[in-house]
Amino acid sequence: MTMPSWVRSVLVAVGVGGSVGLVVGGLGARTAMRLIAVAEPAELTGARTLSGGVIGELTWSGTADVLVAGLVVGVLGGLLYLAVRGVLPRRDRARAAVFAAFLVLVPGAVFSRDSEFRVLERPLLALAVFLPVFVLYGLLVALVVERYAPAPERTHGAPALMARGVVLLTVGLALTLQVVSLTRVSAG
């Protein structure tokens, strides 16, 4: 009995997304948090973030929370990749690059609006430190999913054109939100 290709694609996307989310998202985010804590002025060490975390404090429970969040968000990101890959470029490398850019713009726009950044002295540095996490996650997920569950032939016609338009509008809106958010963050 052969597995339908869409089931295989979903399983691959969940497995790859979760794995890359755990390693790149979880460990990458924890490393980024540590770098941010080191870069912040000494007087901020020990200050509480809005979510109750302590700046500069490295705990096993905090690390476990970040790893689990990386895993969960990674699975969702893998499924997101499946949802949008049909409207991305045909070549795998171009598809991966566009997906990574999409992650920087769309989830990155939400991430950069996070109120936790208001506590930091250098919020733009914090965003810059997290940027490689989004990029590396997007590149790896797209390339590995395409390796083990290649995309079917692209569809044409009105539905495909409409889907591409929705992706373009989403990216345009996210880019606008990102510019507004970064302007607010840099203004203090």
Side-chain angles (χ1 to χ4, degrees), residues 65-83:
D65 289 346
V66 173
L67 291 174
V68 168
L71 175 70
V72 171
V73 172
V75 167
L76 295 174
L79 293 172
L80 173 66
Y81 176 70
L82 281 186

Side-chain angles (χ1 to χ4, degrees), residues 109 112-114 127 176-186:
S112 67
R113 297 176 62 84
D114 191 329
L127 290 171
T176 304
L177 287 173
Q178 192 75 298
V179 168
V180 169
S181 179
L182 291 176
T183 304
R184 286 183 182 161
V185 167
S186 65

Side-chain angles (χ1 to χ4, degrees), residues 55-187:
I55 295 176
E57 186 176 88
L58 188 61
T59 65
W60 287 110
S61 65
T63 300
D65 289 346
V66 173
L67 291 174
V68 168
L71 175 70
V72 171
V73 172
V75 167
L76 295 174
L79 293 172
L80 173 66
Y81 176 70
L82 281 186
V84 300
R85 79 177 177 174
V87 297
L88 298 175
R90 291 179 192 199
R91 290 190 357 242
D92 288 351
R93 289 184 182 154
R95 184 179 286 157
V98 170
F99 183 65
F102 180 79
L103 291 183
V104 168
L105 293 174
V106 179
V110 173
F111 181 74
S112 67
R113 297 176 62 84
D114 191 329
S115 57
E116 296 290 325
F117 286 105
R118 293 186 193 134
V119 176
L120 303 174
E121 289 266 331
R122 298 179 181 102
L124 290 178
L125 174 64
L127 290 171
V129 170
F130 272 100
L131 182 70
V133 174
F134 285 102
V135 172
L136 188 57
Y137 174 85
L139 291 173
L140 287 174
V141 165
L143 291 172
V144 176
V145 167
E146 290 307 324
R147 165 110 175 146
Y148 294 104
E153 289 297 315
R154 284 175 68 139
T155 57
H156 300 287
L161 187 60
M162 190 163 46
R164 288 182 186 92
V166 167
V167 169
L168 285 174
L169 286 172
T170 303
V171 168
L173 177 63
L175 184 57
T176 304
L177 287 173
Q178 192 75 298
V179 168
V180 169
S181 179
L182 291 176
T183 304
R184 286 183 182 161
V185 167
S186 65

